[in-house]
Amino acid sequence: MAAASLRNGGSLSRIARRVPCALASLVAVALLVSLTSCAGYNLTSEETGIFGDGSKTLKVKAVDNPTMYPWLPYMLRSALRDEIGARQLAVWKDDGRADYEIKLRVRHFRLRGDVRDSDDKTQLYTASMSAEATVYDGATNAVVWESRIVGYSDSYDTYNERDAAAKVGAELVRRLVDRMRQRF
């Protein structure tokens, strides 16, 4: 009975037919990975970025804030300093001469309370922000890099509007810094 099952396409013969296909797929994936690594492709996290090897200094030139929130520039500076430091893209400087200077321009910022509790306190905020960054050479003031406009929007379950703004600002800065490693 087992012999009849094998002759009629039983489970053993189906497995035997699939092994060469799986092996061929594995070889194809290995070949693709090796070819892309030879072609100079890297993960973005492996790129050196616009500041080189991370030993150059960077400071904030300015944060243009067209909003009515006076604390927004400080929050964005802090998020930018933390993100640059965490990724070791550059050495942060607060003052004095630096190899590079960065200017952030907030293009849009909106903070809206969506849901209120029984005490009429807002407990859900929708925050959206768009901004762009320009990096200048510290010695010549020439533009080295521009991000173009980057935007982000999300809802945050919090009673504090500053928490929602800090979260949307941190994600926006994260996305701006991501672009600093993309060299194409």
Side-chain angles (χ1 to χ4, degrees), residues 86-100:
R87 297 182 191 209
Q88 299 176 344
L89 294 178
V91 177
W92 193 263
K93 288 191 77 174
D94 290 322
D95 55 9
R97 295 190 60 79
D99 296 316
Y100 297 100

Side-chain angles (χ1 to χ4, degrees), residues 74-87:
Y74 303 108
M75 186 216 37
L76 290 173
R77 283 176 196 239
S78 178
L80 183 63
R81 180 187 63 239
D82 293 348
E83 197 65 30
I84 294 285
R87 297 182 191 209

Side-chain angles (χ1 to χ4, degrees), residues 28-171:
V29 168
L31 184 62
L32 182 64
V33 168
S34 66
L35 287 176
T36 58
S37 63
C38 293
Y41 292 103
N42 292 328
L43 296 174
T44 303
S45 61
E46 295 173 359
E47 292 290 324
T48 57
I50 62 172
F51 303 117
D53 64 0
S55 64
K56 301 291 185 180
T57 56
L58 173 69
K59 73 175 188 176
V60 172
K61 184 174 190 164
V63 177
D64 290 347
N65 177 27
T67 72
M68 304 268 306
Y69 298 96
W71 42 262
L72 189 62
Y74 303 108
M75 186 216 37
L76 290 173
R77 283 176 196 239
S78 178
L80 183 63
R81 180 187 63 239
D82 293 348
E83 197 65 30
I84 294 285
R87 297 182 191 209
Q88 299 176 344
L89 294 178
V91 177
W92 193 263
K93 288 191 77 174
D94 290 322
D95 55 9
R97 295 190 60 79
D99 296 316
Y100 297 100
E101 296 180 355
I102 188 166
K103 181 177 186 177
L104 290 175
R105 284 182 207 87
V106 177
R107 295 296 187 179
H108 161 81
F109 177 62
R110 183 175 181 190
L111 193 57
R112 188 179 75 214
D114 290 327
V115 177
R116 297 182 179 273
D117 63 10
S118 60
D119 295 329
D120 202 32
K121 288 184 180 177
T122 302
Q123 61 185 22
L124 181 71
Y125 284 95
T126 298
S128 62
M129 184 184 301
S130 63
E132 62 185 331
T134 305
V135 175
Y136 299 89
D137 184 291
T140 64
N141 204 32
V143 173
V144 175
W145 177 84
E146 292 179 305
S147 70
R148 298 192 187 138
I149 296 176
V150 176
Y152 186 71
S153 178
D154 207 346
S155 296
Y156 301 98
D157 186 14
T158 180
Y159 283 101
N160 187 339
E161 69 179 9
R162 274 195 182 185
D163 287 345
K167 289 176 181 176
V168 78
E171 181 58 32

Side-chain angles (χ1 to χ4, degrees), residues 162-179:
R162 274 195 182 185
D163 287 345
K167 289 176 181 176
V168 78
E171 181 58 32
L172 180 79
V173 165
R174 204 170 291 121
R175 290 170 183 236
L176 281 169
V177 173
D178 280 345
R179 289 191 177 191

